[in-house]
Amino acid sequence: MPRAALVTRPLDVAALLREVQRPANGAEVLFVGTVRDAHEGRSVTGIDYSAYDAMASAELERLVEEASVRYATPDVVCEHRLGTLAVGDASVVIAVGHPRRAAAYDASRWVIEALKARVPIWKREHYADGSRAWVHHGR
Amino acid sequence: MPRAALVTRPLDVAALLREVQRPANGAEVLFVGTVRDAHEGRSVTGIDYSAYDAMASAELERLVEEASVRYATPDVVCEHRLGTLAVGDASVVIAVGHPRRAAAYDASRWVIEALKARVPIWKREHYADGSRAWVHHGR
Amino acid sequence: MIVNVLLFASYADALGADAVMVEVPDGAVLGDVVTAIRGRPGGDRVPSVPLVARNHRYATLADPVAATDEIALIPPVAGG
Amino acid sequence: MIVNVLLFASYADALGADAVMVEVPDGAVLGDVVTAIRGRPGGDRVPSVPLVARNHRYATLADPVAATDEIALIPPVAGG
């Protein structure tokens, strides 16, 4: 069944992969978003992720349900981590299992794009010079 | 650095993910191919994977090198398992790390498609009725 | 009626609060709530047509508002 | 000259061997090797234009062959 969650612990990629593996599936695609050490030329040391928890959970759940219907597989799982993350930490994992690889890739891509467009989560970057700033996508 | 290998042990997805994580990367995409329980309407109980070992290794290495150049990232790793696999076992894992998610997805997809087109690996399916048959893609 | 409005991220910083109470006439729409918020100190940093959520779903500024609704102004999202 | 040709999967099953030795004239091309293989018992199950590899790279039937080359006939591949 599709499942989504906001968590404050490190994401367990192997566990999320197992969750979408079924004998009918021939392909699993995992997307892992990680904190980069640079953004628009500035040196980044970490990111605070915060959310409108109740709505972000609901929106993320609606989103994996929609992906499940759209791509015809029950095996769509997404976890997003909140709190202060260091460079290299995984902020989001999307796991999709599907009988066919093309659909597994497409569903995975659809979930991350929809998440970035719709789910009320914000990030504030910490820079090497000690300053911090809220980051918008597509800015 | 790009790396490819044919192996006869179970594939370790978490280790392959770690191999492509670097501070400059914001996205990792993992593709996992697994043995399905059915193919063209027949019930499958397992698959023997065999290869022209020397050439398959060389071709797989050329392929990850090419992906690395084509998609401008050193973080492309592929392992393919050989031997007799059961339903649910992972036969291939492709891990790509990249600063940008779109390129990570594209590189991952390119590697699996090229692998299926070019690398001299063969599979013989075992069916529930006890018979076995060599399987061709696109048949 | 009094409506409680949740603020997040850059909007919370701008208004100096995670939530503010605003008074709007009965029969008001979400646009009226936004106008009230923008009249507060720091409210000029909220755009005139921000994303707005009502009861955990995106809504439009023409949608009606009730005192029992959970209203939130949603700064540009940046998950992933 | 004598050329050793590696066979795999369905081709190995067809010829009943993982490798066969074939004799071709000096100056022969890979197409001559394929013709010789196809004349063996079971060789009719090898297509007239199969994939062929020389020294671990795909080659064409017009490419020359030397006795020291590692030649292989490659059945339709099915990795992944």
Side-chain angles (χ1 to χ4, degrees), chain B residues 49 52 62 80 118 121 134 137, chain D residues 13 56 58 70 75-76 78-80:
Chain B
Y49 279 93
Y52 176 10
R62 287 191 284 266
H80 199 298
R118 285 169 33 181
I121 295 175
W134 296 104
H137 291 315
Chain D
D13 286 357
H56 307 156
Y58 288 107
E70 183 170 315

Side-chain angles (χ1 to χ4, degrees), chain A residues 8-139:
Chain A
T8 53
R9 48 161 177 72
L11 299 173
D12 183 342
V13 175
L16 290 165
L17 171 63
R18 281 193 297 276
E19 200 171 329
V20 298
Q21 285 182 316
R22 277 191 309 127
N25 290 341
E28 291 84 33
V29 172
L30 280 113
F31 175 84
V32 183
T34 44
V35 176
R36 280 205 285 161
D37 63 2
H39 183 235
E40 295 180 351
R42 300 187 71 178
S43 176
V44 173
T45 58
I47 295 183
D48 296 322
Y49 279 93
S50 60
Y52 177 9
D53 287 22
M55 179 174 169
S57 292
E59 194 70 15
L60 210 51
E61 278 163 25
R62 288 190 283 266
L63 202 150
V64 296
E65 295 277 353
E66 187 177 340
S68 174
V69 171
R70 210 177 251 264
Y71 295 96
T73 175
D75 301 312
V76 182
V77 173
C78 178
E79 289 192 353
H80 199 299
R81 186 175 171 189
L82 301 177
T84 300
L85 277 65
V87 169
D89 284 347
S91 53
V92 60
V93 176
I94 297 161
V96 175
H98 202 284
R100 300 282 170 194
R101 69 184 179 282
Y105 277 107
D106 290 348
S108 174
R109 190 76 196 269
W110 186 88
V111 171
I112 186 61
E113 299 301 335
L115 184 158
K116 285 175 177 275
R118 285 170 31 183
V119 180
I121 294 175
W122 299 280
K123 58 184 175 190
R124 192 167 51 167
E125 289 181 341
H126 304 196
Y127 303 106
D129 64 8
S131 64
R132 298 181 178 199
W134 295 105
V135 177
H136 305 167
H137 291 315
R139 196 184 46 177

Side-chain angles (χ1 to χ4, degrees), chain C residues 35-65:
Chain C
T35 301
I37 296 279
R38 295 185 75 230
R40 295 292 183 98
D44 55 319
R45 288 168 59 192
V46 174
S48 55
V49 186
L51 283 175
V52 178
R54 189 183 58 184
N55 302 327
H56 307 156
R57 287 184 181 268
Y58 288 107
T60 75
L61 298 188
D63 287 329
V65 59

Side-chain angles (χ1 to χ4, degrees), chain B residues 78-139:
Chain B
C78 177
E79 289 192 353
H80 199 298
R81 186 175 171 189
L82 301 177
T84 300
L85 277 64
V87 170
D89 284 346
S91 54
V92 61
V93 175
I94 296 161
V96 176
H98 201 285
R100 300 281 168 194
R101 69 183 179 282
Y105 276 107
D106 290 348
S108 174
R109 190 77 195 271
W110 186 88
V111 171
I112 186 62
E113 298 303 333
L115 184 159
K116 285 176 177 274
R118 285 169 33 181
V119 180
I121 295 175
W122 298 280
K123 58 184 176 189
R124 192 167 53 168
E125 289 181 341
H126 304 196
Y127 302 106
D129 64 7
S131 63
R132 299 181 177 198
W134 296 104
V135 176
H136 306 167
H137 291 315
R139 196 182 48 176

